[in-house]
Amino acid sequence: MKKIHSAFVTSIDEARLSERRVLRSALAPRRVLVTGGAGFLGSHLCERLLSQGREVLCLDNLLTGRLSNIEHLTSDPKFTFVRQDVASPVAAEVDEIYNLACPASPRHYQADPIQTMKTNVLGALNLLELARQRGIKIFQASTSEVYGDPHVHPQPESYWGNVNPFGPRSCYDEGKRCAETLFFDFHAKHDVEIKIARIFNTYGPRMRPDDGRVVSNFIVQALQNEDITIYGDGSQTRSFCFVDDLIDGFLKLMASGRSLASPVNLGNPVEFTVLELAEQIIDLTGSRSKIVLHPLPVDDPRQRRPDISLAARELDWAPKVSLSDGLKQTIRYFDGLLTQQAHEHAETA
Ligand code: NAD
Ligand code: UDP
């Protein structure tokens, strides 16, 4: 009897949810929750959503994000900021969720690996629960790190990856893999509409100067004529996507039909060695920096390039900004930031 009763309650519950889903899909999503919204990618996403007339609720614990990234948005009545950790339950009257909360730089995500795992796993659970209760769509910022140090090149979404479960990168790599699993389980069990972007190395204005990632490190070093620190011999490869291209991909993926539940690679398929990147940045900044070699970090992937045929076919998406154009914009940003920091330092000295 108890069993029949609970099945009945579930079916009413689900009927209500699907009714809500139909109603919501008839309306353009108005209020969007962006977790990690004060970070590098999150702040660009908030800006783009506001420019489309959406209301944005930006949630961030400011671990690596900065209020200065969203300062220019705070005068917009459609923008709200709330300081919160996604590892605690999230309650919000929203119609769509983008989950970007998690430090992306190895320096920052390795500083407190247990916190990183909690952010990825508990954060995904809390937000999926919110999506389930409200019957709304949810986007996950996953990563090329789910492929680890890949044996298949370039990496298609069908590749299962080569990931160390207990190395220094595991809190991030396995945390993001677990989050993907949770997304699929909520989709299968509760019919939550999910969108998963596997993001490859992305760069641009609003990265932190102390972020520790390769593009920001090299540009800041070059602008200050300091040594450019190559880890290893610089022959490892990455494919660098400019932030504006990536945000286009996010919006197209979120707008895609319900049937597209597969993870989708988003990144620039043009591959460079780390040495080529250093040389290009020295050239574009006219720097007097010298290249110096440092030890390669443990488990540093040898090569990485996205196969973006799924995004091209399903989303009609491909990056448009060349590395040199994107680097020029990023160099201008860091140049302005370093000049401003030097003025502030001189004033307080
Ligand atoms: P970022 O570090 O600039 O931004 C992450 C944001 O999340 C920060 O504002 C930080 O304060 C916030 N945050 C961290 N832990 C949180 C928590 N527990 N609760 C609430 N907020 C929290 O990094 P980013 O480059 O903007 O990356 C954004 C997302 O995209 C991350 O999930 C990252 O894993 C993913 N990603 C980025 C790249 C890339 O190249 N930029 C590549 C792959 C995946
Ligand atoms: N890297 C480097 N010098 C730096 C920072 C990074 O040579 O000052 C290398 C790093 O070892 C890796 C690549 O650049 O091979 C990309 O590093 P990043 O931390 O930007 O991203 P990820 O390793 O997560 O792709």
Side-chain angles (χ1 to χ4, degrees):
M1 183 65 196
K2 197 162 177 242
K3 220 172 178 183
I4 296 169
H5 178 69
S6 70
F8 178 66
V9 170
T10 310
S11 72
I12 289 188
D13 232 31
E14 271 166 11
R16 282 206 190 109
L17 276 178
S18 78
E19 212 169 87
R20 252 187 263 166
R21 243 177 244 129
V22 172
L23 278 174
R24 274 183 216 292
S25 62
L27 303 163
R30 287 164 298 113
R31 203 146 195 254
V32 186
L33 170 64
V34 179
T35 74
F40 159 50
L41 297 180
S43 61
H44 285 274
L45 177 62
C46 289
E47 197 174 275
R48 287 283 285 278
L49 290 166
L50 287 168
S51 76
Q52 294 183 339
R54 313 285 180 88
E55 279 180 52
V56 174
L57 175 61
C58 166
L59 182 151
D60 201 297
N61 69 353
L62 300 180
L63 179 68
T64 51
R66 295 171 297 173
L67 289 176
S68 59
N69 284 343
I70 50 169
E71 220 165 28
H72 62 298
L73 306 177
T74 52
S75 59
D76 189 328
K78 290 196 165 130
F79 181 78
T80 309
F81 172 73
V82 53
R83 187 169 185 171
Q84 202 202 306
D85 196 310
V86 288
S88 306
V90 178
E93 296 280 316
V94 289
D95 308 304
E96 234 177 44
I97 304 171
Y98 284 86
N99 180 28
L100 274 67
C102 181
S105 156
R107 173 186 292 174
H108 294 293
Y109 70 64
Q110 289 174 20
D112 188 346
I114 296 171
Q115 164 73 12
T116 300
M117 187 56 101
K118 281 184 174 169
T119 294
N120 279 315
V121 178
L122 298 179
L125 260 179
N126 287 326
L127 295 161
L128 282 161
E129 191 48 36
L130 179 64
R132 185 191 73 78
Q133 283 168 13
R134 293 189 59 75
I136 58 175
K137 214 191 280 192
I138 178 166
F139 171 104
Q140 166 69 356
S142 191
T143 170
S144 55
E145 291 284 330
V146 300
Y147 302 121
D149 191 5
H151 291 152
V152 171
H153 194 69
Q155 294 80 54
E157 289 83 355
S158 55
Y159 177 50
W160 287 359
N162 172 42
V163 176
N164 180 353
F166 50 81
R169 299 175 84 98
S170 309
C171 58
Y172 183 78
D173 301 9
E174 296 289 24
K176 290 282 186 183
R177 285 168 69 96
C178 181
E180 284 199 9
T181 307
L182 283 166
F183 268 67
F184 276 94
D185 290 343
F186 267 74
H187 176 62
K189 199 165 162 47
H190 301 299
D191 200 26
V192 171
E193 187 172 357
I194 57 168
K195 301 291 168 192
I196 299 178
R198 289 188 177 156
I199 306 165
F200 285 65
N201 300 64
T202 300
Y203 68 98
R206 301 207 198 113
M207 294 184 91
R208 293 169 66 110
D210 64 348
D211 185 76
R213 280 180 276 184
V214 68
V215 174
S216 46
N217 269 11
F218 286 2
I219 293 179
V220 170
Q221 290 162 345
L223 287 171
Q224 297 181 326
N225 294 308
E226 288 172 357
D227 289 346
I228 304 259
T229 54
I230 286 191
Y231 305 158
D233 60 7
S235 62
Q236 71 270 40
T237 68
R238 294 292 185 274
S239 308
F240 300 102
C241 184
F242 188 63
V243 60
D244 291 356
D245 281 334
L246 186 78
I247 303 298
D248 286 344
F250 281 11
L251 298 174
K252 285 191 161 188
L253 177 56
M254 196 56 146
S256 63
R258 204 178 163 79
S259 58
L260 182 61
S262 156
V264 178
N265 287 339
L266 293 178
N268 194 315
V270 186
E271 186 179 0
F272 292 89
T273 66
V274 165
L275 179 61
E276 285 167 341
L277 175 72
E279 287 168 345
Q280 195 163 154
I281 289 175
I282 291 174
D283 192 38
L284 290 172
T285 49
S287 174
R288 298 190 301 280
S289 293
K290 290 186 188 54
I291 288 175
V292 295
L293 303 185
H294 285 250
L296 191 67
V298 175
D299 292 341
D300 199 275
R302 285 283 323 146
Q303 54 182 4
R304 197 183 279 153
R305 171 154 63 98
D307 174 338
I308 58 163
S309 39
L310 182 64
R313 193 173 64 244
E314 294 289 334
L315 310 177
D316 190 24
W317 177 86
K320 298 189 182 93
V321 182
S322 68
L323 182 63
S324 98
D325 285 348
L327 285 177
K328 282 180 201 157
Q329 292 192 51
T330 313
I331 290 167
R332 266 200 300 281
Y333 162 77
F334 276 113
D335 201 18
L337 189 73
L338 294 176
T339 308
Q340 185 194 333
Q341 285 179 350
H343 283 314
E344 284 165 7
H345 186 69
E347 274 169 22
T348 53

